[in-house]
Amino acid sequence: MIRIGVLASGTGTNLQAIIDACARGDIPGRVVVVVSNNPKAKALERARRAGIPAVAMHHRAFPDRDTFDGKLAEILHSYEVDLVCLAGFMRILGPWFINQFAGRIMNIHPALLPSFGGLGMYGDRVHKAVLDSGVKFSGCTIHFANEAPDGGPIILQAIVPVRDDDTVETLASRIAQEEHRLYPEAVRLFAEGRLHVVGRRVHIAEAREPMSIVE
Ligand code: GAR
């Protein structure tokens, strides 16, 4: 059973999808702590409702990014997390933090990276840029975090069509449905030890057959 720490700044629907997948037994793990930089985040309420420790740490209460990152790492280490899931976490994490949990931080992005990602590309801004560009498909990406925003090796992607009459809201909601399926799936693969980073690529090992006993 892996111990998962989730960082979220907003509604927390992806957090909820991970909590639910753990409760169903789809993920061999459990969410042991949720941290938000936004004390009003609905994600914190979702955590409390599920009996998970919920920590609010407003970034403005810290003199600089390094101090914020240091406190965040301290909390996650104190809960002995094996995996850190960024689920709509709207703060850039510095290289020191990334190194603390090297290869053990996942992020979700609401588009098909490496397009429509990077600094300033989050939430509805991403969907607006997608609609403005005229692309016919969008989707979501789960990737390992590295020092570049939205830049780490890609684990899973899902594709959705962009329809002629789409608005930011309709596109966001079609993508959200895929996000809620895809993030728990990526966490499950990690928990099963099936993700292997080879350069820029993430190889996914086949599931092992359960051992059968031959008489
Ligand atoms: C999700 O759509 C996620 O992909 C996006 O924020 C939303 C959070 O929703 N993340 C980014 O844009 C990161 N660049 P949620 O709080 O309901 O899970």
Side-chain angles (χ1 to χ4, degrees):
M1 293 285 264
I2 64 157
R3 298 171 64 82
I4 305 161
V6 178
L7 310 185
S9 304
T11 338
T13 60
N14 283 287
L15 162 69
Q16 191 69 56
I18 294 169
I19 293 174
D20 293 347
C22 291
R24 282 195 305 271
D26 290 350
I27 296 172
R30 68 191 173 96
V31 179
V32 293
V33 64
V34 173
V35 186
S36 183
N37 63 315
N38 170 13
K40 293 192 183 132
K42 197 161 171 231
L44 291 170
E45 268 174 61
R46 291 179 190 273
R48 290 188 196 107
R49 217 184 306 139
I52 298 165
V55 183
M57 44 182 289
H58 203 304
H59 50 271
R60 289 207 201 102
F62 295 82
D64 51 39
R65 192 184 301 285
D66 289 350
T67 323
F68 177 84
D69 284 6
K71 182 67 191 170
L72 190 55
E74 188 187 311
I75 293 168
L76 294 167
H77 284 313
S78 76
Y79 281 91
E80 299 180 336
V81 305
D82 302 300
L83 175 67
V84 179
C85 289
L86 309 181
F89 189 62
M90 301 306 176
R91 294 293 298 167
I92 301 290
L93 296 163
W96 177 85
F97 182 92
I98 302 286
N99 275 323
Q100 286 285 305
F101 299 93
R104 299 190 289 135
I105 309 175
M106 278 185 192
N107 183 38
I108 183 161
H109 186 76
L112 295 173
L113 292 175
S115 296
F116 304 107
L119 269 186
M121 284 298 241
Y122 56 84
D124 287 352
R125 289 185 189 199
V126 178
H127 306 303
K128 179 159 189 324
V130 163
L131 291 174
D132 288 349
S133 76
V135 292
K136 297 295 186 188
F137 292 94
S138 190
C140 52
T141 303
I142 316 291
H143 64 94
F144 283 116
N146 67 8
E147 290 169 21
D150 299 324
I154 292 170
I155 302 166
L156 293 174
Q157 290 186 305
I159 298 169
V160 307
V162 177
R163 304 208 190 280
D164 293 350
D165 59 353
D166 261 338
T167 60
V168 164
E169 290 72 28
T170 57
L171 181 59
S173 115
R174 191 173 310 119
I175 289 172
Q177 283 185 30
E178 290 301 310
E179 291 191 310
H180 301 157
R181 183 181 64 75
L182 208 65
Y183 213 166
E185 170 69 6
V187 175
R188 180 174 69 83
L189 291 169
F190 180 93
E192 292 175 350
R194 292 169 56 193
L195 300 178
H196 302 286
V197 180
V198 183
R200 286 284 317 160
R201 303 177 74 174
V202 179
H203 293 184
I204 301 174
E206 294 287 320
R208 255 183 274 152
E209 292 291 322
M211 262 205 305
S212 55
I213 297 168
V214 181
E215 297 275 334

